[in-house]
Amino acid sequence: MEAEPQDVRTTSKIIPLALPKGTEKLCELCQRRAHLQCNWCRVTFYCDAEHQQADWIGIHQRICQLLLPIRTPTLFSLQRAGRIEIQLKKAELIEICRLVAESKLSEGKHQEAMPAAQFCLRCSIDVHGPSTVQLVPAYLLLADANMGIGNLALVAELLSQAEWAVLKSPECGHAVHHKLHRSLGRLHTATGNLEEALLNFANDIYFASEEYGLDSTVTCRGYFLMAEVFAKQGKMPVARSLYSEVAQTWHSHLAKVLKTHIKNVQKNPNLLLEPSFDKAHLVEVDGMLGTILEFEQNNSRKDSAQIALVAHCLAMLWFLGRDDLKALGFGSTALQASQLIPNHDLTESIQSLLQLVQTEPHPRCD
Amino acid sequence: MNAAVTRRHTGPFLPEINSKKRRIGSQHRTKQESLPTGSVLNKSTQILSRENIALVRNSLKQNICVRLLQEGFPRSYSELFFLLRFNEDQRTAAEPGSDVLLQTPLEDQRDKLETMKLHLSLAEKAERTGSWSTVNEQRLFLGRYFSAPEDFWLSLHFFLSCINRERGSRSRPATEARACLAEVYLQQGELEEAREQAELCLKMSEDGGWLDLSGRPLRLRARQVLWRIFNRLADAPLADGDYGKALKLLHQGYSMATESEDKQIVGEAAYRLGLTYQSTGDHDTAKQFFNTCMQICGTLEDPKGLGQAYKAMAKSTESEGNIDETVRCLEKLVDVTRSNGLQHDLTDACLYLGDIFYSSSQFEQACQYYLQGYEVACNLGDVALLQKAQVLAAGARAQSFFGRYSADVESASHAALRRLLDWKETRGGRDPADNTAAAAAWY
């Protein structure tokens, strides 16, 4: 998909007389009076070029054409069958927006995620009605995006909306509870209410374990967030043990992924060219493991086994993410650390990974 | 949980309704009184934190798990969660009507969950500071805590986690855990595992001089367990008739028993060995072991054991054909059982004695013992035994008449003929009891 269609042709001025009487067009992002419209779909309006650009990058380039059938009333859309079809299309749109927002959030692009999250919420309200439990994912996405840009007051408001919706329907499933508690925990961490943050993360981990299992990487993220809070409280031993749980879980997960990857490549060498880890996820995990590695390296009593484990994780991660330089770098860190321990059982697998990196012709990741 | 909450709250609510003050006192006063209580209630509701609300709203399982995590014990949390999940899976996989479904789910048993939470977190704390023996101490405690039969899987889990640690697996608690583990395996009938653990425990405790939590030396305890294991191991070859193998195992058990400084089990081991030799036909060796058993039971004043030994001894001497010795043994058995009130054994002994006399054609004595047995059985109220004794006694009595009657018929002397005729005339008496009485009078 095109990344920068910043062409004058993409927008045009609204000519009020060309529109049906009495319909005032509002900006897609800020809901103020609009002056521009998107030239591709002609059903989306903006107050200025800046908002148009933000929306284009955020979500519009992905859903521009999908909006057309929803926003143009036809004879068919007024009938019952048409309405059902439009509901289905909206549900599809919500799903697309959610995925886009999620991947932008895990890449750390909070501002960019905003339009997608906003549209997701608006469309969800449209489909499910106000303050229903189905809105919770959209609220949480928007809250996460706002948390990233430091708009904590709005985050608190959004989360209390979400909490209210969950309270009204307690049978909404473990996954929703888990996500809500995670966002609440992050809010409390940001506002410095550490005890409350711990309580929420504890609940988050509990619900995640119920939904995804104890050793899932989703649950593991909760441990990581919790460890940060404990570190802020100065309880280093607890943080250390949480970090080691995270490292352990990711190590076994990555080892499994690597194994299947190697098997697949042996069957079909063309797969080599495709990264087997999506980019958004990669950035997030890299950040997390990087924090742990730094924590271990700065620790006064250096635990080489732990350092080797985390560095090995990072090496595997970047090997799967097609960045040989980074994979080599972390691999050699891991090897150094593991060689400090006699007969360490990781040494062998680290060496074989390094060999793999050096022998396989990899296209560099840009 | 809800019931407990309401009960706690009934205190402040009820007295006000029933108190006489309210009825007698002026309206003004009641108002004054009720106002402060109202504000107190309001205050307490304000103080309620999210955490307190969660205690009432959420499940016990969630509360325990969340508290563990919040206090910073991720490993304890995952262990507890794993165990709860395991129990849940077992319940869902169980067929309707099976035992697992009859038990209370683990997640509803507050005491057990709180105990696990406390000791797991203590263990994790100790693990962080590197005091491995404390870790094992806590795990051992948990293993021993779950002693109920339906919780054996939990005790197994904790004992195993105690001995399978990288560090501290050679400590005192780990050694005791092996002894406990052997006992659990023995209970479950997994004899080979039990033997392995007990032998390891013995090896590790040999030079440690360690005591278990009840103050018994571990090396003796290991030997006692091992004796029980060998005893059970011998069951299978005995059932197959493989006496050589059984004897080997029982001898191993016997030597464990003698080294364990526990007289009681030495006696039992000797008895078991004696019985096995008896089955092989080696009565001399059997008698030696029975003698050992008798001595031990005598010093321990164990009438039951003594009785068993006498009976077994009697069997051996009987098979050898030494009837006098057999009778002597059985008479002792009768004495022992009678003086200790072991009614069942007494009946058995009497009937056995009767059998011996009967088979050596001493019908009078046989009948006498059968009748004794019959009386004891009457006292016991055991109808089956009673009927058996009745039949035997009657048979013996009949046999005893039979001899003299046929002698009279054969001799054909005047006096004999007279006796026969007299008997014949009284035989048709109306009362059957008279009948026997008459016969008894004549013969």
Side-chain angles (χ1 to χ4, degrees), chain A residues 7 17 24 46 82 85 115 150 158 160 185 212 234 239-240 253 260 337 361:
Chain A
D7 206 338
L17 283 179
E24 187 165 15
Y46 301 99
E85 202 182 300
L158 286 165
S160 56
Y212 306 103
R240 257 175 69 87
H253 178 69
T260 45

Side-chain angles (χ1 to χ4, degrees), chain A residues 163 196 203 209-210 245, chain B residues 50 61-62 75 77 85:
Chain A
E163 215 177 353
E196 198 69 15
N203 277 299
S209 321
E210 283 282 13
E245 294 286 308
Chain B
R50 267 164 195 279
K61 175 188 178 190
Q62 185 181 349
R75 279 190 201 159
Y77 159 73
R85 185 49 77 82

Side-chain angles (χ1 to χ4, degrees), chain B residues 55 86 107 152 224 242 304 331 393 396 402 424 430:
Chain B
L55 281 183
F86 182 79
E107 60 184 53
F152 89 93
Q224 283 166 357
D242 182 357
K304 192 107 188 159
E331 277 168 350
F402 220 64
K424 181 177 168 276
R430 275 166 289 172

Side-chain angles (χ1 to χ4, degrees), chain A residues 133 164-174 176-177 207, chain B residues 57-58:
Chain A
V133 74
W164 175 230
V166 168
L167 263 180
K168 279 199 296 186
S169 49
E171 301 302 318
C172 54
H174 295 308
V176 176
H177 279 288
F207 284 117
Chain B
R57 279 191 52 135
N58 298 344

Side-chain angles (χ1 to χ4, degrees), chain B residues 270-306:
Chain B
Y271 174 67
R272 194 82 204 275
L273 259 174
L275 279 186
T276 313
Y277 275 113
Q278 193 175 56
S279 323
T280 59
D282 182 353
H283 292 292
D284 283 333
T285 325
K287 279 197 303 192
Q288 277 173 21
F289 281 110
F290 291 140
N291 267 324
T292 320
C293 179
M294 278 179 211
Q295 277 168 10
I296 291 171
C297 291
T299 48
L300 288 176
E301 295 182 1
D302 171 14
K304 192 107 188 159
L306 202 57

Side-chain angles (χ1 to χ4, degrees), chain A residues 178-286:
Chain A
H178 136 69
K179 283 199 178 122
L180 175 64
H181 279 293
R182 179 160 297 179
S183 296
L184 280 169
R186 292 181 53 203
L187 173 66
H188 287 299
T189 315
T191 53
N193 189 351
L194 298 183
E195 280 306 320
E196 198 69 15
L198 283 183
L199 177 64
N200 278 304
F201 284 137
N203 277 299
D204 156 29
I205 293 171
Y206 171 75
F207 284 117
S209 321
E210 283 282 13
E211 182 74 23
Y212 306 103
L214 273 174
D215 42 7
S216 112
T217 49
V218 181
T219 313
C220 189
R221 179 87 188 154
Y223 280 131
F224 175 75
L225 291 167
M226 202 173 198
E228 282 185 326
V229 179
F230 276 117
K232 270 189 191 163
Q233 286 185 330
K235 294 178 181 163
M236 292 307 164
V238 183
R240 257 175 69 87
S241 81
L242 281 164
Y243 278 146
S244 83
E245 294 286 308
V246 177
Q248 202 66 53
T249 307
W250 269 102
H251 191 266
S252 47
H253 178 69
L254 283 169
K256 226 183 284 166
V257 174
L258 185 67
K259 210 170 153 191
T260 45
H261 168 76
I262 290 172
K263 228 185 244 167
N264 288 342
V265 167
Q266 276 167 353
K267 271 190 227 153
N268 180 8
N270 290 335
L271 275 178
L272 257 183
L273 302 171
E274 287 167 30
S276 43
F277 230 87
D278 81 280
K279 204 176 152 206
H281 207 171
L282 191 81
V283 175
E284 192 184 1
V285 178
D286 175 59

Side-chain angles (χ1 to χ4, degrees), chain A residues 20 31 98 123 129 199 213 229 237-238 291 307:
Chain A
Q31 309 295 314
R98 192 178 62 79
C123 205
L199 177 64
V229 179
V238 183
T291 312
I307 293 175

